[in-house]
Amino acid sequence: MDTVLEIKDLTVSFDGFKAVNDVSTAVKKGDIHFFIGPNGAGKTTLLDAICGRVKPAAGSIFFKDCGDVTKLAEHEIVERGIGRKFQVPSVFNSITVFENMELAAEKKRTIFSTLFSKLSQEQMERIEYVLNIIGLYEKRFEKPAALSHGEKQWLEIGMLFVQQPEIMLLDEPVAGMGRKETDKTGELLKEIAKDCSVVVVEHDMDFVRDFASTVTVLHEGTLLVEGDMEEVQKDPRVIEVYLGRGGE
Amino acid sequence: METYVLQIFNGISVSSILMLAALGLAIIFGLMKIINMAHGELIMIGAYVTFVTQNIFMSYVDKDYFDIYFIFALLAAFVITAFVGYLLEITIIRHLYGRPLDSLLATWGVSLVLQQLARSIFGAPNVDVKSPTWLDGGILIWGDLQLPYKRLFIMLLVALCICGVYYFLYKTTTGRRIRAVMQNRTMAKSLGINTRKVDAMTFAIGSGLAGIAGCALTLLGSIGPTLGTNYIIDTFMVVVLGGVGTIIGTVAGAGIIGLGNTTFEFLTDASLGKVLVFSVVILFLQWKPQGFFTIKSRALDE
Amino acid sequence: MLEIVAKIKEYFLKRNAVISIIFVLLCLAPLFLSDFRINLLGKFVAFAILALGIDLIWGYTGILSLGHGVFFGLGAYCMAMYLKLESSAGKVPDFMSWSGLEVMPWFWKPFASAPFALTMAILIPVLLAMIIGYLTFKNRIRGVYFTILTQALSIIFVVLFIGQQAYTGGTNGITNFKTILGFSLSDPATKLSLYYIAVLLLLAAYVFCKLIIDRRIGRVLVAIRDGENRIRFSGYNPTVYKVFVYAISAGLAGLAGAVYVPQVGIISPAEMGIIPSIEMVSWVAIGGRGTLTGAIIGAVLVNSLKSVVSESFPDIWSYFIGITFIVIVIFMPSGLVGIYQQIKKVWRNSLLLKRKEAAMKH
Amino acid sequence: MLDVSGLDAYYGDSIILKNISLRIKQGQVVCLLGRNGVGKTTFLKSIMGLVKTPNGSIMLDGTEIIKMPSYNRALQGIGYVPQGRDIFPNLSVYENLLLGLERNKNNSTLDESIYELFPVLKTMLKRKGGDLSGGQQQQLAIARALVSIPKLLLLDEPTEGIQPSIIQEIAKVIKKLKSKGNITMLIVEQYLEFVLEVADYFYVMDKGCIVMEGNTKYVEPRQIQAKIAI
Amino acid sequence: MKIRFANKFKGIAGVVTIALVLSLLLAGCGTEKTGGSNEAKPAATDAGDTIKVGILHSLSGTMAISEVSVKDAEMMAIEEINASGGLLGKKIEPIIEDGASDWPKFAEKAKKLLQNDQVATVFGCWTSASRKAVLPVFEANNGLLWYPVQYEGMEASPNIFYTGAAPNQQIVPAVEWLLENKGKKFFLLGSDYVFPRTANKIIKAQLKAMGGELIAEEYTPLGHTDYSTIINKIKATKPDVVFNTLNGDSNVAFFKQLKDAGITSQDLTTLSVSVAEEEIRGIGAENMKGHLVSWNYYQTTDTPENKEFVKKYKEKYGADRVTDDPIEAAYIQVHLWAEAVKKAGSTDVDKVREAAKGLEYKAPEGLVKIEGENQHLWKPVRIGEVQEDGLIKEIWSTKEAVKPDPYLKSYAWAKDLSN
């Protein structure tokens, strides 16, 4: 499989505190790649660095053939094909579900096109397709305030999906979901992974076990182990710092 | 030489006045996120309280003791302005938490009303407050160089107020409560803190500091219904430049604006000086949008 | 044919009933009101143009600017320069010679042309807003910080305009105009034409704003208000949009200024200050932020109220204005239009309920 | 000890809890289970007085507290550890602990024994609450609730987002407290293993109602699992 | 069917509501409709049993500190006239408007008074800016404004009567006197607006012609509160005289801070032209003791008319109130207008203007006369020194009233100033 995203010697620091310290890893095409680790291990910061929300102190992130993306602004990184979902569902509450999708779907994002262009038939179809997948087609004319927590999460994932990114970064997508919703989200990820790579930060070990193709364990800003779930689970260091003595 | 020394002294003096005027605002804005456009009018109330105290002393107290009125006036200005602040909080400000821009608009209405109220009670013309004789004159350093007692007194008063506020906020139980409420209202409530009381008290103390500033300003300037409007923007600039929510930021902000103002004024003229200072502030904020000192946190959210 | 009529009917009577009524009333107003009142109303119409701009940036995009007085003032000054030059009939304007200026400054000269002045009245505010907006928004200065920064901006301009008396007329401002395009300003026919031009420009401004908010860009603006950081991750660069909307709103303010000056006959630096800027925002707040109709109603209503109250109670009118303002901001944050919509909602719900009950009986 | 009956709770205009009744005996550790969004957190908030509760009754040790403001309920002896911990980020760890003492007005000195339960806190008293890791914050939040020895301790999802090793420690603390027997606990959880390990009694909530209750010793985990999963 | 009806009903209801709001609003605007004709001649309202006059001052905003007292004086004069039987057998009915320290607001209110209320005349304004703002309104509507404050000159509108001092009745004689008695080196200090800038232009020309020396010229923004830097500059340049044209609030700060810097009237001569008894109350007499001012009238001016005037004013507004030059000018301008109306037998603007020419009046400041040529007053000039009690002692005065010369045409050195 091809590498989509390559992180090289990445360091991010806040006032001297190194939240991510010299991390190198790579995400392969079509992978569902999980980052796990104790709180404060630097998982969220790593995602932030990839999508341009924080600027790294050192190191580089190569995406496809776009070169190093660490110098780009957030929206430029999105244009290259990296999508990001945050821990707290953040959708736009004053506009309808459909309009949320519309904003994400339209590729032309200049002032001129937002003033004059309309959605193409193809885009309409794609939005409808995604709305169906995330199960919000019926509610497309409602405002997100009327959605449940889980539905908001899906809407946000849907907004990412409709952007047709090549890599999708998800921060705790199943936090606050019940088992059933979690499973549904997992299936959704699988569907998405057909077209693009998915990077997930998650605590829910069952979820990780069920859906991960690659797992990277971070600890205090550094990369501890990387591999599939089987290997990672057996690693004594991981058991020590993360899974706890009893294991799971 | 003397001129330059005196000019530096003037700069520090202007800074100290700004600090005094901005301190209460820094608390209210920094802790409560209320943009209190009526802060200037609270300063005005402090000044009028001083005026009234003086008149009471003139009428009822022996001439020999007249001079101590100012000490009473300082206390009265603090207490009465704090009380007005308390009333404002329980009637108006209470409804505005979490809506900083709305608070700006509503308190602007408050300032209109307070100005008119002052006009109705004390009349439109300026009133005179006699400064106590022990503040007349100054220390003669050498030659012509005289440092006025009043300005030295204000500097001292500012130092006291800052230390007092620092001690109060960081070393007392009440201060801890205030900081807790401002950081997380719900949690503070759940721990047994009466948040309504704390809100009202915080606002009252911020207002009381404005009262002290008003009292001190009677030593230097005019006392009229529109007194506050002369200070309000400068003080906001101080708070924003220094960084919201830190006392040290207020000190730094006032220092920069005060010294900048006097220096530019000395080099050019008063109008251009003001334009230059504000331009520098705007440019500075481009570089550091959150001001000099910011409370850093790893929470990257809004 | 019938279909078109029905469509027009639908458009004006149902979907845009309120705004249609407003414009019809504005057009008919000269039949009921004295010249003086029409002149006042014309001024309020100019303010309404400005309020539309403030609503775009504040109501829709969530950016509170307290420096719109500056843009309004710049527009007004451009127009005033033209009017002054026309009144001075080629000579150096009076205030310049009082200040010891013998020759007309070079930048005054082109303002002798009305089209140039009008263009500048819009262009200068737009350019200034673009420069300031680009810097501040790019550096992600937001919320309260932006608001206070714009206050500093207005102070700078006020002090600058007062200080440059020879070029700007100082505190006095520019006044004493005689004619516009050769028509006497004191002629009632001219005044009435100015009024109708103002109403027409308001209509144009309304349609323009409506076009913006009904397009996808309108949704982008609202999305910026709801979550600026989030919109970045949908691939939009909020800086560009904020600069755009700031510039549009500044341009509308400039246009308002240009409409204001010939009707009022004076512009002074005080109108660029913070207090007028706060008042401008208050119109939108009271009318109802986030609805264009609200901005227009707010601007006209608040100013009418102010005029009437200050005429009836010249000594204590600021109590009324202050208290009204406090009450509206605290208890009716969505303004008059919000109240109207709420009443409508309650009404609709009760109707629905009745219908349900009726259905139950069947 | 705690006797809730006929409680309704609203969030804004929407009703979240309908006619809830629940009792906890002195010294008991009771767990409230349920899927997300069924109203467990709202239930704790309504005991704390943080949401609207127009109907029903909440008796604490024989006192009706439903009309009291939140802070007064805290003063009655309720300790609360909310979801997301809610540590004061800009206050030091020590100050955070001191704020736990707000509930007993006369006692202004910190009982050192709290460090025995959470030794990690003693080493970071001067650090800002916001600088701690999630697990440390959770421990601090529990410690803060415990310093004034509450009659009733409310824990909202103490394991959420916490690494397994710290979950183990928290479980240990709860068991230790339980063995002393002078504290009553109500824990909201989704993590079934944890619940079965620490609780005496459980309630399962769904869509704003209690749908199941029982003793943890005599219940088949699968039965609960079924209720939660559907 | 039902639904359709409900929808329609709802739409109508909305329309009706909005229409109601708007018509209320328009009704509010249109309190009076003046027959739709714009040729409505102001001052032509001899019908009815009252004569309406307008009073237009800032009752709110920064200028209220000065203008409220002036309004009081005008009201007192109107009451006097009404008490003594009114004018042409009618009572005078004052209509008060608030200019709110905002120049366009002044213009708006002037229009309202002239067009809507059709007042016979208006007494009003304080700042030059407000006068300049209303001037085109008065000219376009052929109204009449009486303006009670000393100003910078260079103006003589046929629609304005200027009852305060022209520059040659205050500034020019003061500079002359200072050059003779106090020294040659002048430091000009003023607020940053039209009056000080124009006044200083005059002074500079005069100094040049009369052998004086300009040390520095400083302007501070209105509402400036810290004068330590300016005082430092004064200290550094050591002038003989500080000629002070600061306005309002700034004077308080300047004199308080001057005293604190250890500079008394013994060390430095200052002469102020915008500080009168009323302002001294706000500054504090102890801060201004010994400093000089130049006016046409003081509360202490020794004429029988003044004793009477001061007594009445204090009786009416309180013993703690003081009278001063603008208050006196405001008071006499009402009487001057009344005299002119009596003489003309009508309130018609043109007739009153004609009748006012050469009109003499025994004012508290002495005998004044309206100069027909430029509608200013002949006034005596007085230089005074501030006393401990806050009143002003006259230390020099012109023998007789000085002829007003707003364009300074009679001074050779001033010929470049006006055009």
Side-chain angles (χ1 to χ4, degrees), chain C residues 105-319:
Chain C
W106 58 269
F107 62 87
W108 266 76
K109 283 178 186 153
F111 283 91
S113 137
F116 179 82
L118 194 62
T119 315
M120 285 297 133
I122 297 171
L123 206 59
I124 290 177
V126 166
L127 287 176
L128 179 68
M130 280 171 83
I131 294 166
I132 291 167
Y134 179 74
L135 280 173
T136 41
F137 296 138
K138 187 174 185 296
N139 291 314
R140 303 200 182 169
I141 298 177
R142 309 202 321 227
V144 175
Y145 295 92
F146 178 77
T147 304
I148 293 177
L149 194 138
T150 54
Q151 288 188 326
L153 183 75
S154 43
I155 295 232
I156 290 176
F157 270 84
V158 170
V159 175
L160 213 58
F161 268 61
I162 290 178
Q164 300 305 311
Q165 193 180 313
Y167 304 108
T168 62
T171 331
N172 284 7
I174 304 180
T175 179
N176 212 352
F177 314 126
K178 300 277 185 315
T179 55
I180 180 165
L181 297 167
F183 299 102
S184 165
L185 275 171
S186 52
D187 182 358
T190 317
K191 283 185 181 169
L192 197 63
S193 320
L194 283 174
Y195 171 76
Y196 276 113
I197 290 171
V199 173
L200 214 65
L201 284 171
L202 175 63
L203 184 63
Y206 173 79
V207 171
F208 179 69
C209 292
K210 183 100 179 126
L211 275 180
I212 289 180
I213 58 160
D214 281 351
R215 298 298 171 123
R216 184 154 55 100
I217 188 169
R219 261 100 68 194
V220 176
L221 296 181
V222 170
I224 289 174
R225 182 183 73 192
D226 284 0
E228 185 180 335
N229 278 337
R230 181 64 188 79
I231 194 86
R232 289 180 205 279
F233 295 103
S234 293
Y236 294 88
N237 182 4
T239 308
V240 176
Y241 287 89
K242 286 163 94 174
V243 172
F244 173 76
V245 73
Y246 192 41
I248 293 281
S249 132
L252 285 171
L255 175 68
V259 174
Y260 167 95
V261 158
Q263 301 194 75
V264 175
I266 177 173
I267 178 68
S268 77
E271 308 312 299
M272 304 166 98
I274 290 168
I275 290 175
S277 302
I278 295 180
E279 281 185 27
M280 291 164 190
V281 172
S282 80
W283 307 332
V284 180
I286 291 176
R289 57 190 95 160
T291 57
L292 296 177
T293 324
I296 296 178
I297 292 180
V300 177
L301 196 70
V302 172
N303 282 295
S304 311
L305 184 79
K306 216 176 128 185
S307 276
V308 172
V309 175
S310 77
E311 280 165 18
S312 317
F313 310 97
D315 293 313
I316 51 165
W317 64 276
S318 22
Y319 285 131

Side-chain angles (χ1 to χ4, degrees), chain D residues 136-197:
Chain D
Q136 290 161 342
Q137 286 192 358
Q138 185 64 274
Q139 295 179 23
L140 174 58
I142 298 173
R144 184 177 61 186
L146 286 175
V147 285
S148 57
I149 311 165
K151 289 187 221 162
L152 172 67
L153 181 64
L154 307 177
L155 289 170
D156 197 349
E157 307 229 2
T159 66
E160 193 204 18
I162 305 290
Q163 62 201 70
S165 59
I166 293 188
I167 295 179
Q168 293 300 320
E169 278 181 45
I170 291 172
K172 237 185 272 170
V173 168
I174 293 175
K175 277 187 256 176
K176 209 183 220 174
L177 289 169
K178 196 165 112 181
S179 68
K180 285 186 189 163
N182 55 355
I183 193 165
T184 311
M185 272 184 260
L186 175 58
I187 306 175
V188 157
E189 252 312 332
Q190 298 201 45
Y191 185 1
L192 193 58
E193 291 89 335
F194 181 80
V195 170
L196 295 176
E197 190 177 346

Side-chain angles (χ1 to χ4, degrees), chain B residues 44-288:
Chain B
M44 170 199 79
I45 291 174
Y48 272 113
V49 169
T50 313
F51 172 67
V52 172
T53 315
Q54 166 203 263
N55 288 355
I56 291 173
F57 268 69
M58 263 201 265
S59 320
Y60 299 108
V61 179
D62 194 86
K63 254 210 178 91
D64 299 341
Y65 299 109
F66 173 73
D67 270 351
I68 57 164
Y69 92 87
F70 198 73
I71 304 296
F72 286 89
L74 269 176
L75 292 174
F78 179 79
V79 172
I80 292 175
T81 319
F83 181 69
V84 172
Y86 174 79
L87 289 181
L88 279 181
E89 204 279 342
I90 59 172
T91 51
I92 294 169
I93 307 296
R94 168 148 300 165
H95 306 284
L96 295 168
Y97 293 122
R99 299 196 268 157
L101 298 180
D102 283 6
S103 75
L104 184 152
L105 298 172
T107 51
W108 177 68
V110 173
S111 88
L112 274 186
V113 171
L114 287 178
Q115 268 184 36
Q116 190 60 43
L117 207 61
R119 219 171 268 131
S120 304
I121 299 174
F122 296 100
N126 286 335
V127 295
D128 170 37
V129 170
K130 285 186 182 53
S131 44
T133 48
W134 46 271
L135 285 177
D136 283 345
I139 306 177
L140 213 58
I141 305 290
W142 77 81
D144 256 358
L145 187 64
Q146 178 178 327
L147 306 184
Y149 286 132
K150 281 180 193 163
R151 287 179 182 263
L152 292 169
F153 174 77
I154 290 177
M155 288 179 197
L156 188 74
L157 187 66
V158 171
L160 277 176
C161 284
I162 286 174
C163 293
V165 166
Y166 182 84
Y167 180 82
F168 175 73
L169 277 183
Y170 290 94
K171 302 288 170 198
T172 65
T173 317
T174 322
R176 190 163 62 231
R177 270 183 212 143
I178 291 179
R179 285 184 296 143
V181 171
M182 299 318 156
Q183 284 176 38
N184 190 332
R185 187 165 297 272
T186 315
M187 194 58 225
K189 232 192 267 184
S190 312
L191 286 172
I193 297 174
N194 186 345
T195 50
R196 286 212 156 181
K197 222 165 96 186
V198 169
D199 286 335
M201 193 171 60
T202 313
F203 196 82
I205 285 169
S207 307
L209 287 167
I212 292 186
C215 183
L217 284 173
T218 61
L219 296 175
L220 298 176
S222 59
I223 303 115
T226 51
L227 159 70
T229 48
N230 295 335
Y231 291 93
I232 185 77
I233 298 305
D234 290 39
T235 47
F236 266 115
M237 287 296 145
V238 166
V239 175
V240 170
L241 182 66
V244 170
T246 62
I247 295 179
I248 181 82
T250 310
V251 173
I256 291 165
I257 292 186
L259 281 167
N261 223 331
T262 44
T263 310
F264 285 132
E265 186 181 333
F266 188 74
L267 298 176
T268 58
D269 60 57
S271 298
L272 208 54
K274 205 166 176 119
V275 170
L276 284 173
V277 166
F278 280 160
S279 308
V280 168
V281 171
I282 290 185
L283 287 177
F284 176 84
L285 288 177
Q286 304 298 331
W287 174 54
K288 274 202 153 194

Side-chain angles (χ1 to χ4, degrees), chain D residues 54-118:
Chain D
N55 309 312
S57 137
I58 304 172
M59 305 283 279
L60 181 72
D61 260 356
T63 321
E64 177 61 78
I65 60 169
I66 195 156
K67 292 268 183 299
M68 287 184 185
S70 302
Y71 75 94
N72 219 345
R73 299 187 193 201
L75 298 182
Q76 297 296 317
I78 306 179
Y80 176 47
V81 180
Q83 199 176 16
R85 280 83 73 177
D86 284 9
I87 293 300
F88 299 104
N90 291 319
L91 266 57
S92 70
V93 170
Y94 184 65
E95 285 176 316
N96 266 289
L97 288 173
L98 283 180
L99 282 165
L101 292 172
E102 286 291 331
R103 258 184 287 118
N104 29 349
K105 288 288 173 194
N106 309 322
N107 190 356
S108 57
T109 42
L110 204 57
D111 188 355
E112 294 282 324
S113 66
I114 197 70
Y115 305 133
E116 288 166 22
L117 286 175
F118 302 104

Side-chain angles (χ1 to χ4, degrees), chain E residues 79-93:
Chain E
E79 274 177 38
E80 277 176 20
I81 296 168
N82 283 341
S84 63
L87 199 55
L88 306 177
K90 294 175 191 168
K91 291 262 185 270
I92 303 176
E93 180 196 343

Side-chain angles (χ1 to χ4, degrees), chain B residues 16-31:
Chain B
S16 67
I17 293 161
L18 283 175
M19 246 175 254
L20 196 54
L23 196 56
L25 195 72
I27 289 177
I28 290 171
F29 184 37
L31 294 178

